[in-house]
Amino acid sequence: MSTSLAMASAELSVVLPRVLIVSRRTVRKNKFVDFVGEYHLDLIVSYGAVPVIVPRVSGVHMLLESFEPIHGVLLCEGEDLDPSMYDDESNNLSPEEIEEIRRQHVSDTAIDKEKDTIELRLAKLCLERNIPYLGICRGSQVLNVACGGTLYRDIEKELSRNLPQDKRVVHIGYDNYDNHRHVVKIIENTPLHHWFKDSLEDNKMEISVNSYHHQGVKKLSQRFVPMAFSHDGLIEGFYDPDAYNPEEGKFIMGLQFHPERMRQQDTDEFDYPGCTFAYQEFVKAVVVFNKKFINSSTSVQKPIKLNQEMEKKRKIIVRSFSLARNIYEGSSQIHPSKESELYAGAEFLESTTALSIQQETRLIQMGATVRNGSSYLEKLKMNEERKGLARKVMGKMSVEQLSDLKYFYNMMRQICSEVLERKLQDIVNAS
C-alpha cells in the first residue's frame, strides 16, 4: 500500500500545475528570513495547484528561467515599489512630506529592489506569454506598473487630503489588521460582480473588504478595466477583459484588497462566499494553461550540450547579436572599443555552411579578418530612418497589438537561438 501511495503521490506532483509566489523578507533572531502568507498557499493547494516559492535573495532575478515551467504567478505582500519603477513626478510631495510618510509607514517604505525586479520580470513574462496572473495588494500594483501605470506614493497625502471628510477612506489599520474593513463599490458585469452577486444587498453593489496599504493605483494602465472603487475613488480591483477566460486558461487580474483575509473573527469562515472565487478561478485558469503547455511541449527537443570551448564561442556570437540589437533599438552610437565584438556576428551571419577550421580560428580572434565586416557595421548605422518609421507605426498601435508583437519577436528570438545551437553542433560534429 505504501508503495502505491508513493507512486500516486509522485504522479500527482508531476500532473499538478506550478504557481510561482515570490517570498517577502523579514528579520528573525537578527537574521533575514523569507516567508509567504499561509492563507495564499492553502488556497492554491486546495484548488489543485502546487505553490513554488521564489526566494527573494540577491541574483534570483537572473535565474527565473530555472523556475520553468511556469503555469501561473501569484504576487502578494511586500514593501512599497521603488518610485523610480513608475517614474511619477506629478505627486508634488515635498521632501518633508516624504520623510513623514516614511516615519508613519516605517514597515512598508523600505524599498526592496531585488523583490521589485523579480516581480516586475515575472509580471511582464505573464503578459508576454499569457500566463495566468493574480496580484493581491502589492501584486496588483506591480501588475499596473508593469503595464505602464502609476501609483499614489501615499493615498492620504495625495488623494484623501483633497476630499471632504465624508469621502475619505482609511485603507490601513495598524492596530486592527485582520478586522479592518472599508466599503467598496463593485462595477456591474465584471468578474467581481459575478463572484459577489449573491452577497450584494438592496442593489447597492457594495461589500466591505479588508485592506492594508497606504499606496494604490493612480493612473490605471489602458490595458485594464476597473472592477471596484472605494468611496474616495481609489481603484480596488481591475482586470484585462481580453485576457480573462479561466475556462481557456486566461486570467490577468489585480485586487488591492485581501479576499483571503476576509474571515470572521476567531474563525476561518469567510465574510462572503465570493471571497475564495479569485483563487478558485485563477487556479482553474492555471490548470487549463498547464494542459495547453503539456500539449504544446511534447515535441520539444532537449537542448544540445556544448563543450566548454564551443560554449565560449556561442557566448561570443550571442554577445555580438545582443550588441547589434542594442544599436538598432537604442539612440546612441556604438563606441569604437565595441566594434570588434560585432565581427563574430557578422562572420556567423555570412556563413552558409559549417565553419571550417580556418573560420573557427578567425572566430576565436573575434573578427580580425572578417569578410565584409565594415559593410555589416555600415548597415547597422543606416537603420535610423527605419527605426523612426517603426516607432511612428507602433505609436498608433494598441497595447494589445504591441503585446502580441513583442510576443512574436520573443518567439522568433527563441527559434533563432535553437537554430544557432544546431549550427554550433554541426561545428562540433565536423571537428
Side-chain angles (χ1 to χ4, degrees), residues 195-207:
W195 298 344
F196 288 93
K197 61 182 178 181
D198 293 336
S199 302
L200 302 175
E201 299 179 0
D202 302 326
N203 296 320
K204 286 186 176 180
M205 299 291 287
E206 292 181 345
I207 60 172

Side-chain angles (χ1 to χ4, degrees), residues 184-188 190 192-193 196 200 205 207 227-228:
V184 300
K185 183 174 182 179
I186 295 176
I187 304 302
E188 193 173 3
T190 62
L192 273 183
H193 179 214
F196 288 93
L200 302 175
M205 299 291 287
I207 60 172
M227 295 192 296

Side-chain angles (χ1 to χ4, degrees), residues 42-54:
D42 282 341
L43 287 165
I44 293 299
V45 170
S46 67
Y47 289 118
V50 174
V52 177
I53 297 178
V54 179

Side-chain angles (χ1 to χ4, degrees), residues 267-285:
T267 74
D268 277 337
E269 185 176 350
F270 286 96
D271 294 354
Y272 309 101
C275 289
T276 62
F277 283 12
Y279 292 84
Q280 184 176 344
E281 295 300 290
F282 168 65
V283 174
K284 181 190 292 185

